[in-house]
Amino acid sequence: MFGKIQATVLALILALPVAAQAAKVKIGFVNSITGAEAPIGENLTNGVTLALEDLKKKGIDVELVKEDDTGKPEKSMAAFEKMATRDRVAGIVGPYSSKCANAIAKLAEKYKTPLLIPVASKEEITRQNLKWTFRLSATTYDYATILLDMATSLGRPKTIAIINENTDFGTSGAKSAKDYAGKKGIRVVAEEAYAPGSPDYRSTLTKIKSKKPDLVFMVSYVADAILLMRQSREIGITPQAFLGAGAGFATVSFAKEKAISSNVFSSTQWTGDVNWPGAKDFDKRYIAKFGKEPTYHAATAYESMMIMAETAAKSGGNREKIRSALKSGKWNGIMGEVKFADYEGYTNQNKHQMLVEQIQNGVHQTVYPPKYVSKKPVYPFPGWR
Protein backbone atom coordinates (compact mmCIF):
# COMPACT_ATOMS: atom_id res chain seq x y z
CA MET A 1 0.00 0.00 0.00
CA PHE A 2 2.77 2.43 0.97
CA GLY A 3 4.61 1.62 -2.24
CA LYS A 4 1.51 2.46 -4.27
CA ILE A 5 1.21 5.82 -2.51
CA GLN A 6 4.85 6.58 -3.23
CA ALA A 7 4.39 5.73 -6.89
CA THR A 8 1.28 7.92 -7.09
CA VAL A 9 3.07 10.88 -5.49
CA LEU A 10 6.02 10.45 -7.85
CA ALA A 11 3.72 10.37 -10.85
CA LEU A 12 1.99 13.56 -9.71
CA ILE A 13 5.34 15.32 -9.28
CA LEU A 14 6.46 14.30 -12.75
CA ALA A 15 3.15 15.53 -14.15
CA LEU A 16 3.63 19.02 -12.72
CA PRO A 17 4.31 21.86 -15.19
CA VAL A 18 7.95 22.67 -15.84
CA ALA A 19 7.57 26.02 -14.03
CA ALA A 20 6.77 24.15 -10.81
CA GLN A 21 10.11 22.37 -11.07
CA ALA A 22 12.02 25.50 -12.06
CA ALA A 23 15.78 25.40 -12.01
CA LYS A 24 17.00 28.00 -9.51
CA VAL A 25 20.05 30.14 -10.20
CA LYS A 26 21.50 33.17 -8.45
CA ILE A 27 22.72 35.86 -10.85
CA GLY A 28 24.28 39.22 -10.03
CA PHE A 29 23.39 42.41 -11.86
CA VAL A 30 25.41 45.60 -11.41
CA ASN A 31 24.11 48.75 -13.09
CA SER A 32 23.96 52.55 -12.90
CA ILE A 33 20.57 52.75 -11.19
CA THR A 34 21.20 56.23 -9.79
CA GLY A 35 23.67 58.94 -10.75
CA ALA A 36 24.33 60.79 -14.00
CA GLU A 37 24.06 57.66 -16.15
CA ALA A 38 20.80 56.45 -14.57
CA PRO A 39 18.65 57.45 -17.59
CA ILE A 40 20.46 54.85 -19.69
CA GLY A 41 20.82 52.48 -16.76
CA GLU A 42 17.02 52.39 -16.58
CA ASN A 43 16.98 50.78 -20.02
CA LEU A 44 19.28 47.99 -18.82
CA THR A 45 17.10 47.40 -15.77
CA ASN A 46 13.98 47.20 -17.91
CA GLY A 47 15.64 44.79 -20.33
CA VAL A 48 16.59 42.51 -17.46
CA THR A 49 13.03 42.67 -16.11
CA LEU A 50 11.70 41.29 -19.40
CA ALA A 51 14.42 38.64 -19.44
CA LEU A 52 13.39 37.41 -15.99
CA GLU A 53 9.81 37.02 -17.24
CA ASP A 54 10.95 34.95 -20.20
CA LEU A 55 13.34 32.86 -18.13
CA LYS A 56 10.53 31.98 -15.76
CA LYS A 57 8.46 30.79 -18.73
CA LYS A 58 11.38 28.54 -19.64
CA GLY A 59 11.43 27.04 -16.17
CA ILE A 60 14.39 29.02 -14.87
CA ASP A 61 13.84 30.79 -11.54
CA VAL A 62 16.42 33.56 -11.19
CA GLU A 63 17.31 34.96 -7.79
CA LEU A 64 18.58 38.34 -8.90
CA VAL A 65 21.09 40.19 -6.75
CA LYS A 66 21.07 43.84 -7.84
CA GLU A 67 23.73 46.41 -7.01
CA ASP A 68 23.85 50.12 -7.91
CA ASP A 69 27.32 51.39 -8.85
CA THR A 70 26.04 54.98 -9.43
CA GLY A 71 28.37 55.07 -12.44
CA LYS A 72 31.49 55.01 -10.24
CA PRO A 73 34.24 52.38 -10.77
CA GLU A 74 35.04 52.01 -7.06
CA LYS A 75 31.41 51.21 -6.26
CA SER A 76 31.23 48.81 -9.17
CA MET A 77 34.27 46.98 -7.83
CA ALA A 78 32.80 46.78 -4.33
CA ALA A 79 29.54 45.45 -5.77
CA PHE A 80 31.34 42.77 -7.77
CA GLU A 81 33.36 41.59 -4.78
CA LYS A 82 30.23 41.40 -2.63
CA MET A 83 28.31 39.38 -5.20
CA ALA A 84 31.23 37.06 -5.96
CA THR A 85 32.16 36.32 -2.34
CA ARG A 86 29.29 37.02 0.05
CA ASP A 87 26.33 36.37 -2.26
CA ARG A 88 28.09 33.58 -4.16
CA VAL A 89 26.28 34.28 -7.41
CA ALA A 90 26.80 31.91 -10.33
CA GLY A 91 27.62 34.76 -12.70
CA ILE A 92 27.32 38.51 -13.09
CA VAL A 93 25.77 40.69 -15.81
CA GLY A 94 26.84 44.34 -16.15
CA PRO A 95 27.89 47.03 -15.55
CA TYR A 96 26.76 49.78 -17.91
CA SER A 97 29.67 52.17 -18.41
CA SER A 98 33.10 51.40 -19.86
CA LYS A 99 34.91 52.92 -16.89
CA CYS A 100 33.09 50.58 -14.51
CA ALA A 101 33.35 47.51 -16.75
CA ASN A 102 37.07 48.07 -17.23
CA ALA A 103 37.51 48.35 -13.46
CA ILE A 104 35.82 45.04 -12.62
CA ALA A 105 37.00 42.89 -15.54
CA LYS A 106 40.12 41.77 -13.67
CA LEU A 107 38.06 41.01 -10.57
CA ALA A 108 36.23 38.34 -12.57
CA GLU A 109 39.62 36.71 -13.06
CA LYS A 110 40.56 37.09 -9.40
CA TYR A 111 37.35 35.56 -8.07
CA LYS A 112 36.82 33.14 -10.98
CA THR A 113 33.30 34.45 -11.50
CA PRO A 114 31.86 34.67 -15.04
CA LEU A 115 31.19 38.27 -16.06
CA LEU A 116 29.03 39.08 -19.10
CA ILE A 117 29.23 42.72 -20.15
CA PRO A 118 26.11 43.80 -22.06
CA VAL A 119 27.04 47.16 -23.56
CA ALA A 120 30.28 48.79 -22.33
CA SER A 121 32.35 49.23 -25.47
CA LYS A 122 35.89 50.41 -24.60
CA GLU A 123 38.13 48.28 -26.79
CA GLU A 124 40.69 47.42 -24.12
CA ILE A 125 38.17 45.64 -21.87
CA THR A 126 38.41 42.43 -23.91
CA ARG A 127 42.02 42.96 -25.00
CA GLN A 128 43.56 41.84 -21.69
CA ASN A 129 43.47 38.07 -22.28
CA LEU A 130 40.93 37.65 -19.47
CA LYS A 131 39.33 34.20 -19.36
CA TRP A 132 36.35 35.01 -17.13
CA THR A 133 35.14 38.19 -18.86
CA PHE A 134 32.80 38.00 -21.87
CA ARG A 135 31.32 40.85 -23.88
CA LEU A 136 28.14 40.75 -25.94
CA SER A 137 28.33 44.31 -27.26
CA ALA A 138 30.42 45.66 -30.09
CA THR A 139 33.48 47.83 -29.39
CA THR A 140 34.07 51.55 -29.85
CA TYR A 141 36.00 50.73 -33.02
CA ASP A 142 32.81 49.19 -34.41
CA TYR A 143 30.84 52.30 -33.41
CA ALA A 144 33.23 54.47 -35.42
CA THR A 145 33.66 52.24 -38.46
CA ILE A 146 29.95 51.79 -39.16
CA LEU A 147 29.37 55.57 -39.07
CA LEU A 148 32.29 56.44 -41.30
CA ASP A 149 31.49 53.63 -43.72
CA MET A 150 27.98 55.03 -44.01
CA ALA A 151 29.17 58.63 -44.46
CA THR A 152 31.59 57.68 -47.23
CA SER A 153 28.92 55.62 -48.96
CA LEU A 154 26.58 58.63 -49.03
CA GLY A 155 29.05 61.44 -49.78
CA ARG A 156 32.69 62.38 -50.10
CA PRO A 157 33.70 63.84 -46.73
CA LYS A 158 37.32 64.95 -46.58
CA THR A 159 37.56 66.30 -43.03
CA ILE A 160 36.26 65.40 -39.58
CA ALA A 161 36.11 67.05 -36.14
CA ILE A 162 35.97 64.85 -33.07
CA ILE A 163 34.50 65.92 -29.74
CA ASN A 164 34.30 63.51 -26.83
CA GLU A 165 33.92 63.30 -23.09
CA ASN A 166 37.19 62.52 -21.33
CA THR A 167 36.03 59.17 -19.90
CA ASP A 168 37.10 55.62 -20.83
CA PHE A 169 34.22 55.38 -23.30
CA GLY A 170 34.76 58.83 -24.77
CA THR A 171 38.52 58.54 -25.12
CA SER A 172 38.31 55.08 -26.66
CA GLY A 173 35.59 56.21 -29.07
CA ALA A 174 37.56 59.26 -30.17
CA LYS A 175 40.72 57.22 -30.75
CA SER A 176 38.77 54.69 -32.82
CA ALA A 177 37.25 57.46 -34.95
CA LYS A 178 40.64 59.08 -35.52
CA ASP A 179 42.29 55.79 -36.47
CA TYR A 180 39.56 54.75 -38.89
CA ALA A 181 39.23 58.21 -40.41
CA GLY A 182 42.90 57.94 -41.35
CA LYS A 183 42.26 54.64 -43.08
CA LYS A 184 39.37 56.19 -45.00
CA GLY A 185 41.46 59.16 -46.10
CA ILE A 186 39.50 61.62 -43.96
CA ARG A 187 41.66 64.30 -42.31
CA VAL A 188 41.08 65.10 -38.63
CA VAL A 189 40.94 68.90 -38.32
CA ALA A 190 39.91 69.14 -34.66
CA GLU A 191 40.06 66.96 -31.54
CA GLU A 192 38.32 68.29 -28.43
CA ALA A 193 37.81 66.44 -25.15
CA TYR A 194 35.60 67.78 -22.34
CA ALA A 195 34.65 66.96 -18.77
CA PRO A 196 31.15 65.40 -18.59
CA GLY A 197 28.50 67.71 -17.19
CA SER A 198 30.16 70.92 -18.31
CA PRO A 199 27.69 73.83 -18.36
CA ASP A 200 28.87 75.41 -21.61
CA TYR A 201 30.53 74.08 -24.77
CA ARG A 202 30.34 77.22 -26.91
CA SER A 203 34.07 77.94 -26.93
CA THR A 204 34.87 74.35 -27.94
CA LEU A 205 32.19 74.34 -30.63
CA THR A 206 33.35 77.72 -31.94
CA LYS A 207 36.82 76.22 -32.51
CA ILE A 208 35.25 73.34 -34.38
CA LYS A 209 33.11 75.65 -36.53
CA SER A 210 36.20 77.59 -37.58
CA LYS A 211 37.66 74.39 -39.08
CA LYS A 212 34.57 73.86 -41.30
CA PRO A 213 34.61 70.06 -40.93
CA ASP A 214 32.59 67.86 -43.28
CA LEU A 215 31.77 65.52 -40.39
CA VAL A 216 31.31 66.15 -36.67
CA PHE A 217 31.80 62.98 -34.61
CA MET A 218 30.59 63.10 -30.99
CA VAL A 219 30.92 60.70 -28.06
CA SER A 220 28.59 61.74 -25.23
CA TYR A 221 25.99 60.57 -22.75
CA VAL A 222 22.45 62.00 -22.72
CA ALA A 223 22.68 65.42 -21.03
CA ASP A 224 25.88 66.40 -22.81
CA ALA A 225 24.59 65.15 -26.17
CA ILE A 226 21.56 67.41 -25.87
CA LEU A 227 23.55 70.46 -24.77
CA LEU A 228 26.20 69.98 -27.46
CA MET A 229 23.56 69.89 -30.18
CA ARG A 230 21.65 72.86 -28.76
CA GLN A 231 24.79 74.95 -28.78
CA SER A 232 25.84 73.63 -32.20
CA ARG A 233 22.56 74.98 -33.50
CA GLU A 234 23.04 78.28 -31.66
CA ILE A 235 26.52 78.74 -33.13
CA GLY A 236 25.45 77.54 -36.56
CA ILE A 237 27.64 74.50 -37.22
CA THR A 238 26.50 72.87 -40.48
CA PRO A 239 28.61 69.87 -41.50
CA GLN A 240 27.62 67.24 -44.03
CA ALA A 241 26.63 65.08 -41.06
CA PHE A 242 26.53 64.96 -37.28
CA LEU A 243 27.63 61.49 -36.15
CA GLY A 244 26.85 60.30 -32.62
CA ALA A 245 28.63 57.24 -31.24
CA GLY A 246 25.56 55.65 -29.70
CA ALA A 247 25.08 56.28 -25.96
CA GLY A 248 23.20 59.58 -25.44
CA PHE A 249 22.41 59.99 -29.14
CA ALA A 250 20.57 56.67 -29.22
CA THR A 251 18.11 57.54 -26.44
CA VAL A 252 14.44 58.47 -26.71
CA SER A 253 15.00 61.60 -24.61
CA PHE A 254 17.53 62.88 -27.15
CA ALA A 255 15.30 62.06 -30.11
CA LYS A 256 12.39 63.96 -28.58
CA GLU A 257 14.42 67.18 -28.74
CA LYS A 258 13.33 67.59 -32.37
CA ALA A 259 14.73 71.08 -32.81
CA ILE A 260 18.27 69.81 -32.33
CA SER A 261 18.12 66.04 -32.93
CA SER A 262 16.59 65.95 -36.42
CA ASN A 263 18.81 64.26 -39.02
CA VAL A 264 21.52 63.34 -36.50
CA PHE A 265 23.02 59.89 -37.15
CA SER A 266 23.81 57.46 -34.35
CA SER A 267 25.54 54.12 -34.38
CA THR A 268 23.54 51.49 -32.53
CA GLN A 269 23.67 47.82 -31.65
CA TRP A 270 19.97 47.12 -32.09
CA THR A 271 16.74 48.57 -33.45
CA GLY A 272 13.13 47.59 -32.97
CA ASP A 273 12.64 46.83 -36.65
CA VAL A 274 15.73 44.69 -37.23
CA ASN A 275 14.99 41.16 -38.46
CA TRP A 276 16.78 39.26 -35.69
CA PRO A 277 14.73 36.53 -33.92
CA GLY A 278 12.31 38.06 -31.41
CA ALA A 279 13.51 41.66 -31.88
CA LYS A 280 10.18 43.04 -33.06
CA ASP A 281 8.28 41.22 -30.31
CA PHE A 282 10.70 42.54 -27.69
CA ASP A 283 10.15 46.06 -29.01
CA LYS A 284 6.35 45.73 -28.71
CA ARG A 285 6.48 44.16 -25.25
CA TYR A 286 8.85 46.83 -23.96
CA ILE A 287 6.63 49.67 -25.20
CA ALA A 288 3.53 48.01 -23.74
CA LYS A 289 5.16 47.50 -20.33
CA PHE A 290 7.22 50.65 -19.93
CA GLY A 291 5.41 53.14 -22.16
CA LYS A 292 8.41 54.09 -24.28
CA GLU A 293 10.69 52.71 -26.95
CA PRO A 294 13.66 50.58 -25.87
CA THR A 295 17.22 51.59 -26.70
CA TYR A 296 19.92 49.12 -27.67
CA HIS A 297 21.01 49.16 -24.02
CA ALA A 298 17.77 47.40 -23.05
CA ALA A 299 18.19 44.78 -25.77
CA THR A 300 21.80 43.98 -24.88
CA ALA A 301 20.92 43.68 -21.18
CA TYR A 302 17.98 41.39 -21.99
CA GLU A 303 20.06 39.08 -24.17
CA SER A 304 22.99 39.06 -21.73
CA MET A 305 20.72 38.02 -18.85
CA MET A 306 19.05 35.34 -20.98
CA ILE A 307 22.42 33.88 -21.98
CA MET A 308 23.94 34.02 -18.50
CA ALA A 309 20.92 32.59 -16.67
CA GLU A 310 20.23 29.80 -19.18
CA THR A 311 23.89 28.83 -19.20
CA ALA A 312 24.04 28.89 -15.39
CA ALA A 313 20.92 26.73 -15.12
CA LYS A 314 22.28 24.13 -17.55
CA SER A 315 25.60 24.14 -15.70
CA GLY A 316 24.02 23.65 -12.27
CA GLY A 317 25.41 26.99 -11.09
CA ASN A 318 28.99 25.72 -11.35
CA ARG A 319 31.14 28.72 -12.27
CA GLU A 320 33.82 26.78 -14.15
CA LYS A 321 31.20 24.94 -16.20
CA ILE A 322 29.43 28.25 -16.92
CA ARG A 323 32.69 29.81 -18.12
CA SER A 324 33.36 26.83 -20.36
CA ALA A 325 29.82 26.84 -21.77
CA LEU A 326 29.94 30.58 -22.49
CA LYS A 327 33.22 30.05 -24.32
CA SER A 328 31.92 27.25 -26.53
CA GLY A 329 28.28 28.27 -26.95
CA LYS A 330 26.33 29.94 -29.76
CA TRP A 331 23.06 31.83 -29.49
CA ASN A 332 20.65 33.49 -31.91
CA GLY A 333 18.11 35.86 -30.38
CA ILE A 334 17.09 39.51 -30.37
CA MET A 335 20.73 40.60 -30.80
CA GLY A 336 21.28 38.28 -33.74
CA GLU A 337 23.96 35.62 -33.66
CA VAL A 338 26.16 35.66 -30.56
CA LYS A 339 29.48 33.84 -30.22
CA PHE A 340 32.25 34.76 -27.80
CA ALA A 341 35.39 34.43 -29.88
CA ASP A 342 39.09 35.25 -29.81
CA TYR A 343 40.19 37.39 -32.75
CA GLU A 344 42.37 40.39 -33.62
CA GLY A 345 43.68 40.63 -30.06
CA TYR A 346 40.25 40.26 -28.43
CA THR A 347 39.31 37.49 -25.99
CA ASN A 348 35.71 36.31 -25.47
CA GLN A 349 34.42 39.13 -27.69
CA ASN A 350 31.18 38.85 -29.66
CA LYS A 351 31.60 40.12 -33.22
CA HIS A 352 28.35 42.02 -33.36
CA GLN A 353 26.74 43.58 -36.44
CA MET A 354 26.39 47.33 -35.87
CA LEU A 355 23.63 49.49 -37.35
CA VAL A 356 23.14 53.21 -37.99
CA GLU A 357 20.00 55.11 -37.06
CA GLN A 358 18.98 58.60 -38.05
CA ILE A 359 16.48 60.67 -36.12
CA GLN A 360 13.65 61.65 -38.45
CA ASN A 361 10.64 63.49 -37.02
CA GLY A 362 11.67 62.60 -33.48
CA VAL A 363 12.02 58.87 -34.17
CA HIS A 364 15.11 56.71 -34.66
CA GLN A 365 15.01 55.08 -38.09
CA THR A 366 17.40 52.41 -39.32
CA VAL A 367 19.27 53.80 -42.34
CA TYR A 368 22.39 51.61 -42.69
CA PRO A 369 23.60 49.01 -43.71
CA PRO A 370 21.30 48.70 -46.76
CA LYS A 371 20.01 45.21 -45.87
CA TYR A 372 18.56 46.54 -42.58
CA VAL A 373 17.15 49.86 -43.81
CA SER A 374 13.67 50.99 -42.73
CA LYS A 375 13.98 54.58 -44.05
CA LYS A 376 16.23 56.33 -46.55
CA PRO A 377 18.94 58.47 -44.91
CA VAL A 378 18.81 62.25 -45.18
CA TYR A 379 22.28 63.31 -46.36
CA PRO A 380 23.86 65.83 -46.34
CA PHE A 381 22.58 67.63 -43.26
CA PRO A 382 19.89 70.01 -44.60
CA GLY A 383 20.57 72.77 -42.09
CA TRP A 384 18.78 74.01 -38.99
CA ARG A 385 15.07 74.75 -38.99
Side-chain angles (χ1 to χ4, degrees), residues 14 27 41 57 81 103 120 129 132 149 157 194 206 210 213-214 223 227 253-254 313 325 343 346 348 371 385:
L14 293 174
I27 304 295
K57 291 174 186 175
E81 289 182 326
N129 196 32
W132 291 82
D149 283 345
Y194 66 87
T206 298
S210 70
D214 294 328
L227 184 55
S253 54
F254 177 80
Y343 67 94
Y346 293 109
N348 299 335
K371 68 179 290 187
R385 295 177 184 176

Side-chain angles (χ1 to χ4, degrees), residues 40 54 164 228 342 362 383:
I40 295 180
D54 288 350
N164 62 280
L228 280 163
D342 302 340

Side-chain angles (χ1 to χ4, degrees), residues 167-183:
T167 61
D168 282 15
F169 170 60
T171 302
S172 181
K175 180 181 180 298
S176 297
K178 181 180 181 179
D179 290 347
Y180 197 61
K183 293 178 181 179

Side-chain angles (χ1 to χ4, degrees), residues 34-207:
T34 62
E37 289 147 20
I40 295 180
E42 181 186 2
N43 284 274
L44 276 77
T45 297
N46 292 346
V48 166
T49 297
L50 291 182
L52 297 181
E53 291 178 3
D54 288 350
L55 287 163
K56 196 162 190 176
K57 291 174 186 175
K58 290 189 171 190
I60 301 172
D61 184 12
V62 178
E63 180 184 345
L64 190 68
V65 180
K66 291 196 294 186
E67 293 290 338
D68 178 14
D69 64 16
T70 72
K72 296 178 180 177
E74 62 273 18
K75 290 194 175 183
S76 203
M77 293 172 71
F80 189 99
E81 289 182 326
K82 171 186 173 293
M83 291 188 289
T85 58
R86 194 190 315 168
D87 298 317
R88 296 295 301 168
V89 298
I92 294 172
V93 172
Y96 164 53
S97 71
S98 285
K99 60 189 175 186
C100 289
N102 196 47
I104 69 172
K106 288 183 180 178
L107 291 181
E109 208 79 2
K110 177 180 179 180
Y111 294 109
K112 291 182 168 42
T113 303
L115 171 66
L116 180 46
I117 298 170
V119 70
S121 58
K122 180 182 180 180
E123 284 187 65
E124 289 77 8
I125 294 171
T126 47
R127 282 184 174 273
Q128 305 175 79
N129 196 32
L130 301 175
K131 307 300 183 185
W132 291 82
T133 296
F134 299 80
R135 177 161 55 185
L136 183 139
S137 75
T139 71
T140 52
Y141 191 75
D142 301 312
Y143 278 60
T145 57
I146 193 75
L147 284 168
L148 294 181
D149 283 345
M150 179 213 65
T152 52
S153 74
L154 297 175
R156 294 182 179 179
K158 296 180 180 179
T159 59
I160 185 172
I162 300 170
I163 179 168
N164 62 280
E165 59 173 50
N166 60 1
T167 61
D168 282 15
F169 170 60
T171 302
S172 181
K175 180 181 180 298
S176 297
K178 181 180 181 179
D179 290 347
Y180 197 61
K183 293 178 181 179
K184 300 289 282 188
I186 302 172
R187 184 166 57 92
V188 178
V189 294
E191 296 177 76
E192 297 288 341
Y194 66 87
S198 299
D200 193 339
Y201 299 108
R202 290 181 184 88
S203 61
T204 297
L205 292 169
T206 298
K207 290 180 189 177

Side-chain angles (χ1 to χ4, degrees), residues 182-256:
K183 293 178 181 179
K184 300 289 282 188
I186 302 172
R187 184 166 57 92
V188 178
V189 294
E191 296 177 76
E192 297 288 341
Y194 66 87
S198 299
D200 193 339
Y201 299 108
R202 290 181 184 88
S203 61
T204 297
L205 292 169
T206 298
K207 290 180 189 177
I208 288 175
K209 182 183 179 182
S210 70
K211 301 295 183 180
K212 298 181 180 178
D214 294 328
L215 304 173
V216 175
F217 183 93
M218 298 181 174
V219 191
S220 309
Y221 290 118
V222 185
D224 292 325
I226 292 172
L227 184 55
L228 280 163
M229 289 306 300
R230 279 180 181 163
Q231 294 181 345
S232 292
R233 182 190 185 201
E234 179 184 325
I235 290 169
I237 299 176
T238 53
Q240 289 182 25
F242 285 102
L243 309 176
F249 297 93
T251 62
V252 175
S253 54
F254 177 80
K256 285 182 177 179

